[in-house]
Amino acid sequence: MTNTPDPEATTVYVVDDDDGMLESTQWLLESVGLNVQVYSDGRKFLDALDNIQGGCVVLDVRMPGLGGLNVQEELQNRRPGLPVIFVSGHADVPIAVRAFKSGAFDFIEKPFNEQLLLDSVQQALAAHQHSSHQQRGDEHTEALLATLTPRERDVFLPMAQGYTSREIAAELGVSIKTIDLYRARVVKRLGVERLPDLTGMAIAAGLLDPLNLRQNQT
């Protein structure tokens, strides 16, 4: 079965006050199958942020009113994970340095090589999609862990750390048979088959330091 790409994940938001550049960039990106939304100034783009979930931004540095760096600053507050590719007609090193320090994905000088821009956009979209999938995975993990009862949670963490049933029983003051019962319930509730999977969930949820693991895990 082929997965259909999320339209939001392949949308490029182009922000430029030059109508000719806006049109040519839109044509270029759409020619390779990307969804494109264009904005003639930074404020219009920021006003539309509530309807924007994913993708990446191709942002002009110098624009009347709200400049590109100011738009980037606002983006960091409202959509911190959205990759920003700056384009500029001026080889201004201090501005480029400031943009990268503020988290810019790339900085391309106008007039730009078309393939250079396309490559940068594709890399930005892939990076954002990977980050989004990872975040959704972490949220799914946390939702599963929330289904554990308090006693199952007491057993889950030492299990993830590699402790045996005997060691957990001694720590909690119950029988080994009881711990074995809870271990089986934890494994079933979380839908895992191997101990490393359990450990990975604990790490993803921020409950376990990867350095704080026992050496006898298999």
Side-chain angles (χ1 to χ4, degrees):
M1 181 177 177
T2 302
N3 291 328
T4 302
D6 181 356
E8 286 285 356
T10 57
T11 297
V12 184
Y13 306 93
V14 183
V15 188
D16 199 315
D17 66 301
D18 184 328
D19 290 338
M21 182 61 68
L22 205 60
E23 184 178 349
S24 63
T25 303
Q26 180 177 12
W27 178 88
L28 173 65
L29 296 171
E30 288 180 343
S31 73
V32 295
L34 296 171
N35 302 306
V36 182
Q37 294 184 22
V38 297
Y39 301 88
S40 58
D41 67 66
R43 179 53 59 192
K44 289 181 179 178
F45 170 62
L46 291 176
D47 288 344
L49 269 186
D50 288 342
N51 299 318
I52 292 174
Q53 299 299 324
C56 74
V57 184
V58 175
L59 180 62
D60 190 22
V61 172
R62 297 192 178 185
M63 296 182 290
L66 201 63
L69 293 173
N70 297 118
V71 173
Q72 181 192 28
E73 183 178 353
E74 182 66 23
L75 273 175
Q76 284 188 318
N77 294 328
R78 297 171 58 184
R79 290 289 187 277
L82 204 61
V84 175
I85 299 168
F86 276 107
V87 291
S88 174
H90 307 274
D92 192 324
V93 174
I95 286 181
V97 170
R98 179 180 166 189
F100 279 119
K101 283 185 175 180
S102 297
F105 186 85
D106 203 352
F107 195 102
I108 301 175
E109 187 179 354
K110 297 178 183 178
F112 49 74
N113 177 281
E114 291 185 349
Q115 192 58 52
L116 180 65
L117 178 65
L118 289 175
D119 289 346
S120 183
V121 165
Q122 295 287 8
Q123 290 165 10
L125 291 172
H128 182 61
Q129 195 164 19
H130 175 75
S131 176
S132 298
H133 286 166
Q134 186 175 40
Q135 182 178 0
R136 285 195 290 270
D138 291 347
E139 290 172 352
H140 177 66
T141 295
E142 291 176 2
L144 279 176
L145 293 179
T147 67
L148 297 177
T149 66
R151 179 56 85 179
E152 288 168 350
R153 200 173 181 87
D154 287 342
V155 172
F156 161 74
L157 194 54
M159 280 179 66
Q161 291 173 297
Y163 287 94
T164 66
S165 292
R166 183 179 299 278
E167 291 170 321
I168 300 173
E171 178 67 25
L172 298 180
V174 298
S175 69
I176 297 175
K177 185 176 181 181
T178 297
I179 294 301
D180 284 340
L181 175 63
Y182 276 110
R183 287 178 72 110
R185 286 169 57 174
V186 167
V187 167
K188 182 177 180 180
R189 196 183 295 273
L190 298 181
V192 298
E193 297 181 356
R194 303 177 309 127
L195 180 57
D197 296 330
L198 207 67
T199 303
M201 294 182 75
I203 293 172
L207 299 175
L208 184 60
D209 185 341
L211 300 178
N212 188 26
L213 299 178
R214 308 195 75 185
Q215 298 300 315
N216 62 346
Q217 286 185 298
T218 58

